[in-house]
Amino acid sequence: MPPRCAHLLSANKRTERLENVATFIKGANQTQLGSKLLDMWESPSSHISELRMLLTFGANPAGLYEEDSGRKTVEERRKSGSLCEACALQFDDFLDKAGVIYEEQFEQTPINIVRGRKLAEGLLPMCLDGGGMRGLVSVVCLLFASRRLFGDESLPNYFDWLVGTSTGSMLSLAMTKGSSLKDCFFLYWDMKKQIFMEGSTMGRLFGDQVRQQTNNINECLESAKCAFCRTFPTQTMHACPRRLTVPALDISCSPARLHIFRNYSLTCPFGVKLDPEVDKDYSFRDVTRSSSAAPTYFEPHVVDGMKLVDGSFVANCPLNVLFKEVDALRKHSNPVKLMGVLSIGTGEPERVERKYKHGTSIKKKALNIANLSTLILEQVCGHDLSVVEMARDRCHAHNIPFFRLSPSGINVRIDQVNEDKLMQMLWTCQVWLSNNFGEVDRLGELLHKLFSDPDDRKRRSNTIL
């Protein structure tokens, strides 16, 4: 049988192959990842998604550029028929950009700071947007920044206040418990098909998909096989060692009201034992289920008589929640000083002309409902960026350093489970980061100022530090 391109394999076979790569990555070191990348590049049946995943976790592509071996292999596969023209273009694109992506992360001089040092004063918050499966973008942004600045995955350890909405709440909870960024990535990756079902907007609006997905996420969060639950099976908010804030929306009454899960008192210093009668404690499962209960995807989650839905409806980008909490603490004579603010997004779509139609026929009315649903989701996902702009202005007015990482060109649905589309999303993310690392270096400058030894502040040789 003549060779054929890997994209012609069945969806199940491609998924199986990519899952095998994911399993390998979980136990491999960086040298092994590089060797695996070179081996798979030479394989006549390799798919671009497999190579992109290896690069995402630090596989060194340098061997592909030795004596132009990577290009030669692509040409050989073109001629043999094991690589179609469309896939060959993706392989060529990989060769054009993979070296730069790797270099901008792993071949930089780490900033010189005192590891494990705590802030002498103030707090350093990190805000994590919602976005469903686009939470993988947030993880990759943090991986890129951490590798570039420290050469490892330790960046989240320097932030002592995590504020997360929806999928950002899950990431916040995992990092608070001490999960590595690599673990966080696979937490999302492994859960996607356990929760989401492939279907259309109309199927969610008029079918049984919402109920089924609600059952899926409930079973997933209660299962011992769930990566999220294995991370913290009985963890509660009050047991968290760092400040943690998670918004949800209480729709029990009209109008709906913002509900904030927190592990600190507005009136007492952080670390003081909380009175559960005044400051209620909640399990991580209840918190993440509440903040992730996106309407048209999941049913509301009931906690203490409250019907809670996705916090994205009021704070997909939770910067407004952060400043609401800062103001509330000040109001209760318990002020905090912000030393900087890092906002991590889940990606922004390219601006395109909207095709919005309406009419009187049943078909056109149905399309109008679908268009309206899309418009609402855009607002839920914070694509107008007004919250970011207001936060940036507030920080500027108060001389608070502000940083935002959210790659553009991300047009993936929040319930996307197709592995190839997700890897294309992450490729877009990494290309954007490798071309827009200035914000990361600015963040590094602040961290150097806050955590370095004042008597031994060495400037990085290849950045503004």
Side-chain angles (χ1 to χ4, degrees), residues 56-57 105 126 128-129 132-147 152-153 155-156 167-168 170-172 174-175 179-189 344-347 405 407 425-426 429-430 433:
T56 299
F57 286 94
Q105 294 179 83
M126 179 194 298
L128 296 139
D129 290 10
M133 287 307 301
R134 294 208 309 269
L136 290 168
V137 171
S138 299
V139 178
V140 170
C141 285
L142 288 170
L143 276 170
F144 182 97
S146 190
R147 291 163 175 167
D152 56 28
E153 298 183 20
L155 176 62
T167 195
M170 185 178 292
L171 182 53
S172 296
M175 291 192 298
S179 296
S180 69
L181 292 174
K182 181 178 179 180
D183 290 339
C184 290
F185 180 96
F186 286 112
L187 184 153
Y188 283 103
W189 189 265
I344 302 293
T346 54
L405 292 178
M425 172 187 76
L426 297 181
C429 173
Q430 291 179 88
L433 288 165

Side-chain angles (χ1 to χ4, degrees), residues 387-457:
V387 171
V388 176
E389 293 164 2
M390 287 187 288
R392 193 185 301 275
D393 290 343
R394 173 164 176 166
C395 286
H396 179 74
H398 291 84
N399 294 317
I400 301 171
F402 179 85
F403 312 92
R404 169 79 172 172
L405 292 178
S406 190
S408 62
I410 306 299
N411 295 295
V412 172
R413 288 169 39 162
I414 67 174
D415 62 342
Q416 183 60 256
V417 296
N418 181 285
E419 287 87 356
D420 293 335
K421 291 182 179 179
L422 290 174
M423 288 313 305
Q424 175 62 48
M425 172 187 76
L426 297 181
W427 175 252
T428 301
C429 173
Q430 291 179 88
V431 171
W432 185 91
L433 288 165
S434 66
N435 292 327
N436 297 272
F437 52 77
E439 193 81 341
V440 174
D441 286 347
R442 285 184 56 244
L443 173 63
E445 186 177 30
L446 174 67
L447 296 176
H448 181 260
K449 178 181 178 181
L450 295 176
F451 296 103
S452 65
D453 187 338
D455 298 326
D456 187 28
R457 289 187 173 172

Side-chain angles (χ1 to χ4, degrees), residues 100 103-111 142-152 433-434 437-438 440-441 460 462-464:
V100 175
E103 178 183 345
E104 296 300 347
Q105 294 179 83
F106 294 101
E107 297 184 2
Q108 309 302 311
T109 304
I111 60 175
L142 288 170
L143 276 170
F144 182 97
S146 190
R147 291 163 175 167
R148 181 172 177 83
L149 297 178
F150 300 112
D152 56 28
L433 288 165
S434 66
F437 52 77
V440 174
D441 286 347
R460 294 175 74 191
N462 55 348
T463 72
I464 57 175

Side-chain angles (χ1 to χ4, degrees), residues 298-352:
F298 304 106
E299 295 172 356
H301 186 58
V302 179
V303 178
D304 287 345
M306 298 180 290
K307 288 185 178 180
L308 299 172
V309 298
D310 197 335
S312 294
F313 264 87
V314 285
N316 185 71
C317 177
L319 287 163
N320 55 345
V321 173
L322 168 67
F323 290 114
K324 177 180 174 63
E325 291 293 275
V326 169
D327 292 341
L329 288 163
R330 183 180 296 110
K331 179 181 178 181
H332 288 85
S333 301
N334 189 23
V336 295
K337 179 180 180 181
L338 301 184
M339 306 306 293
V341 175
L342 174 61
S343 174
I344 302 293
T346 54
E348 320 298 342
E350 297 284 1
R351 291 184 65 86
V352 295

